[in-house]
Amino acid sequence: MRRFNMAVLAAVTLSIALSAVPAHAGEASARPGGLANCTAGACHFDVPPGTYDVRVVLGGKTTSATSVSGETRRSLLPETAAPAGERVTRTFTVNVRTPEGEPTGPDGSPGLDLRIGGSAPALAGIKVTPARHTRQIFLIGDSTVCDQPGDPYSGWGQQLPQYLRKGVSVANYADSGESTVTFLGNPRLWATVRPLIRPGDLVLVQLAHNDKTTDEATYRANLETLVAGVRERGGQPVLVTPIVRRWFNPDGTLNNGTALLVNGLGVDHPAVTRSVAAAQDVPLIDLTAKTKALVESLGVEGSKALYLYNEARDNTHTSVRGATAYAALVRDELVTRHLVPKGKVRVG
């Protein structure tokens, strides 16, 4: 574990001239300049927790296709093509924190870690600078939202950063197994997130999957507490109804309590969330309705790829493909509801 060098922070503008990501780690030693930060397919920057702008220059002698992920498996830049002999520049903003993944999980490695992937990766240059005037999107949620530590799992919050441009970053504080009750009660969760919220930040709240024994009055009150806490900090709360479970009826619909998150006490979580949003004048992303429509359109067989059905007969947690599709739905709603300017998102 390398300690952060204050001399590096003074310039944190770290430019690395690489004509392409080398095929083998051993090839890196032959390339000039900045190679302590990048090896084959990976870059590490000794920076303290904070928010950073990353500028990458992609391309090489042959046609390339490069993606960037970082920290705990966050997708930061979708696969981007560059014609042979040409360079393509892309920028994004990334949140660096400890723990770097789930708030109740391990600390992870210090600094910023980026991984260069894609079907034909070629990194020609990279620069990391402290971000200024950044709008943060905080995520409060459960395992269907969080930065999942290992394959094949992925939360939609883990895939959301790739759809955002420089100036907007995602701080994903979703945590596996959390309900509205436990998120409010655990000092590593709400008590940690709330002081970080700045005026103008967005805070998306999707909690329901683990409120299996929470009565309606408590569930409603907990959502109201979260909304009030965000507003007290000057942030913009956004309530998000939970993603559906892939639980089909014989007629090919998801019109049942298991799929639509009605708990054993008869609490209809999406309905209560919609009600609180209306009563509190809070923007609502009805992800239950959006995911229901998508899953039903794909059908019993086609929808299996969105979840972990093929890997673990799991109809609740999403695969990378499913999380990416659901993150795109969230992106679209952020733009449609004018919560994020269209120019700050990537489309397609």
Side-chain angles (χ1 to χ4, degrees):
M1 299 295 183
R2 288 172 286 181
R3 292 180 61 84
F4 178 69
N5 188 320
M6 292 305 293
V8 174
L9 178 59
V12 170
T13 303
L14 302 167
S15 297
I16 303 148
L18 300 173
S19 61
V21 174
H24 303 287
E27 296 178 14
S29 60
R31 297 187 180 276
L35 296 179
N37 298 295
C38 286
T39 59
C43 299
H44 174 83
F45 300 94
D46 283 329
V47 296
T51 306
Y52 296 88
D53 292 330
V54 180
R55 177 180 180 269
V56 292
V57 181
L58 310 175
K61 293 181 179 179
T62 60
T63 300
S64 63
T66 310
S67 63
V68 182
S69 61
E71 298 297 87
T72 303
R73 301 177 62 238
R74 294 181 221 157
S75 294
L76 300 171
L77 184 72
E79 187 165 282
T80 302
E86 296 187 18
R87 297 289 187 265
V88 173
T89 300
R90 294 289 185 269
T91 57
F92 54 87
T93 302
V94 61
N95 174 255
V96 177
R97 62 183 183 274
T98 302
E100 70 177 37
E102 295 181 87
T104 62
D107 284 354
S109 59
L112 171 60
D113 289 291
L114 301 174
R115 282 164 289 284
I116 313 303
S119 55
L123 179 68
I126 185 168
K127 183 165 114 176
V128 175
T129 56
R132 292 178 173 81
H133 310 298
T134 296
R135 190 181 194 193
Q136 206 86 273
I137 299 179
F138 289 93
L139 302 182
I140 291 174
D142 51 37
S143 58
T144 66
V145 185
C146 75
D147 287 349
Q148 289 283 358
D151 284 326
Y153 291 82
S154 181
W156 62 256
Q158 200 164 23
Q159 301 300 323
L160 184 61
Q162 67 183 298
Y163 291 123
L164 302 171
R165 300 181 187 275
K166 177 184 173 183
V168 182
S169 69
V170 174
N172 191 351
Y173 282 85
D175 195 69
S176 293
E178 305 302 341
S179 66
T180 58
V181 176
T182 61
F183 202 95
L184 285 168
N186 189 329
R188 298 181 69 179
L189 298 173
W190 178 234
T192 297
V193 177
R194 187 176 178 277
L196 301 176
I197 301 169
R198 301 171 303 179
D201 286 341
L202 290 178
V203 183
L204 276 58
V205 178
Q206 186 219 278
L207 287 168
H209 279 272
N210 299 301
D211 279 281
K212 298 173 184 177
T213 60
T214 309
D215 63 77
E216 183 171 336
T218 301
Y219 184 68
R220 180 182 297 273
N222 288 344
L223 292 180
E224 292 171 346
T225 296
L226 290 166
V227 167
V230 173
R231 284 176 165 164
E232 287 166 2
R233 294 290 302 170
Q236 169 68 75
V238 180
L239 293 180
V240 183
T241 59
I243 69 169
V244 294
R245 296 189 182 100
R246 186 191 159 277
W247 196 269
F248 281 93
N249 296 323
D251 64 359
T253 69
L254 300 179
N255 296 322
N256 61 78
T258 299
L260 300 181
L261 281 294
V262 178
N263 75 8
L265 301 178
V267 180
D268 186 330
H269 293 103
V272 175
T273 303
R274 295 179 191 117
S275 174
V276 172
Q280 298 290 320
D281 193 25
V282 175
L284 175 77
I285 295 177
D286 198 341
L287 203 51
T288 305
K290 294 288 183 180
T291 56
K292 178 178 184 291
L294 178 57
V295 171
E296 288 181 343
S297 72
L298 292 172
V300 174
E301 290 302 318
S303 62
K304 287 179 179 179
L306 299 181
Y307 290 81
L308 296 179
Y309 179 86
N310 294 323
E311 297 86 350
R313 295 297 188 269
D314 184 336
N315 291 303
T316 297
H317 297 96
T318 48
S319 62
V320 170
R321 177 176 172 179
T324 302
Y326 290 177
L329 295 176
V330 174
R331 171 206 59 191
D332 293 346
E333 287 293 288
L334 291 174
V335 173
T336 298
R337 300 185 180 284
H338 306 290
L339 297 168
V340 175
K342 188 174 182 181
K344 289 295 185 181
V345 303
R346 303 182 197 279
V347 180

